């Protein structure tokens, strides 16, 4: 049985300025996205359609806004709507914690749609470029959760070699679910999408597999993650995270079917015939 190592959440203090490890994981996520997206933009079919470093930087700006705004609003709406309805000023108190991946995903989808519209590209051309670059950022975020000793797992058998005591959660051993998510949503999903996205695929297929893969891995991980104490388990003994993954997986399957039928490609061809892609 292991004990969670107490790690100071503050990585660096410069006078009144305090830099937290969790904030640094966001920087690592955005930097990782930039590097990976730049690499993908040099490969077919993106190099042939005019993608360049400047466009990746512009898209990253849109994405950062989507992650922060969507993640916070998703937490407000999905997890504590009544609390924030009574305390609306706390919606802006992001330093107190409270971000939702599914809300961040919706924010990023909105940002990609806006970017696609501004550059006159098909949405799934943007989404297919972006999708394999996201899991590394998710992995970084889960390391931040582990450093903070938060979002711990459910109770575990003490004989489990990697069962861990999180002091803030009490004396009983638990699953280090942050590390499970690091491995599944981060490393495994990245490895699959990067491999799958190396070859030309039907338009929309890479993005569809991201939705299916993340939704499936997160659904599994939720069986080992302690539900939020203010929500507990919901209908069918499923957590909020699992319920949010159900439509995500369903949308991914639908998008994959439409992708293989060539629906998105026909739309993209029609769009390209009307107007050339331009920089925002």
């Amino acid at each position: 049985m292991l004990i969670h190592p107490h790690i100071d959440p503050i990585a660096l203090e410069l006078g009144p300025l305090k830099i937290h490890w969790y904030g640094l994981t966001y920087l690592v996520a955005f930097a990782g996205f930039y590097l990976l997206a730049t690499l993908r933009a040099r490969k077919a079919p993106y190099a042939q359609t005019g993608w360049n470093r400047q466009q990746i930087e512009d898209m990253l700006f849109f994405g950062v806004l989507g992650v922060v705004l969507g993640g916070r609003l998703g937490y407000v709406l999905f997890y504590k709507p009544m609390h924030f309805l009574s305390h609306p000023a706390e919606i802006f108190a992001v330093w107190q914690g409270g971000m939702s991946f599914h809300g961040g995903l919706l924010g990023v989808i909105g940002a990609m749609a806006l970017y696609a519209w501004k550059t006159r590209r098909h949405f799934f051309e943007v989404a297919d470029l972006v999708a394999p670059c996201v899991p590394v950022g998710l992995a970084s975020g889960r390391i931040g959760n582990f450093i903070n000793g938060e979002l711990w797992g459910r109770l575990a058998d003490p004989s489990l070699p990697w069962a861990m005591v999180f002091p803030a959660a009490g004396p009983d051993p638990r699953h280090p679910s942050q590390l499970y998510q690091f491995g599944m949503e981060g490393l495994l999903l990245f490895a699959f999408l990067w491999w799958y996205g190396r070859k030309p695929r039907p338009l929309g297929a890479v993005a569809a597999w991201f939705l299916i893969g993340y939704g499936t891995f997160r659904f599994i991980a939720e069986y080992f993650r302690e539900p939020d104490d203010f929500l507990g388990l919901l209908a069918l003994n499923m957590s909020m995270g699992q319920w949010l993954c159900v439509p995500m997986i369903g949308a991914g399957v639908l998008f994959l079917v439409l992708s293989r039928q060539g629906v998105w490609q026909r739309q993209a061809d029609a769009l390209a015939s009307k107007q050339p892609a331009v920089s925002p």
Side-chain angles (χ1 to χ4, degrees), residues 37-172:
T38 301
L39 288 176
R40 279 183 63 74
R42 296 173 181 170
K43 307 292 184 180
Y46 306 107
Q48 286 76 14
T49 55
W51 284 93
N52 55 49
R53 185 183 298 270
Q54 181 62 53
Q55 291 192 346
I56 298 299
E57 293 173 358
D58 294 338
M59 187 170 60
L60 177 59
F61 173 76
F62 280 81
V64 169
L65 291 179
V67 167
V68 175
L69 296 178
R72 183 58 174 174
L73 291 178
Y75 182 78
V76 169
L77 296 174
F78 297 151
Y79 290 89
K80 289 187 174 182
M82 300 310 298
H83 171 81
F84 287 106
L85 184 64
S86 302
H87 305 84
E90 293 186 16
I91 293 176
F92 306 99
V94 294
W95 56 88
Q96 295 179 1
M99 296 287 281
S100 162
F101 165 80
H102 294 90
L105 175 64
L106 292 176
V108 169
I109 289 174
M112 289 191 302
L114 178 60
Y115 183 82
W117 173 74
K118 287 181 68 67
T119 56
R120 302 175 187 175
R121 297 181 183 275
H122 193 276
F123 170 80
F124 278 109
E125 180 185 347
V126 179
D128 282 351
L129 172 64
V130 167
C133 310
V134 173
V136 169
L138 300 179
S140 178
R142 294 310 176 192
I143 292 297
N145 295 143
F146 183 77
I147 289 174
N148 287 346
E150 61 190 6
L151 304 183
W152 49 72
R154 303 188 191 189
L155 295 176
D157 189 326
S159 65
L160 187 69
W162 55 84
M164 184 171 291
V165 173
F166 293 86
D172 298 316

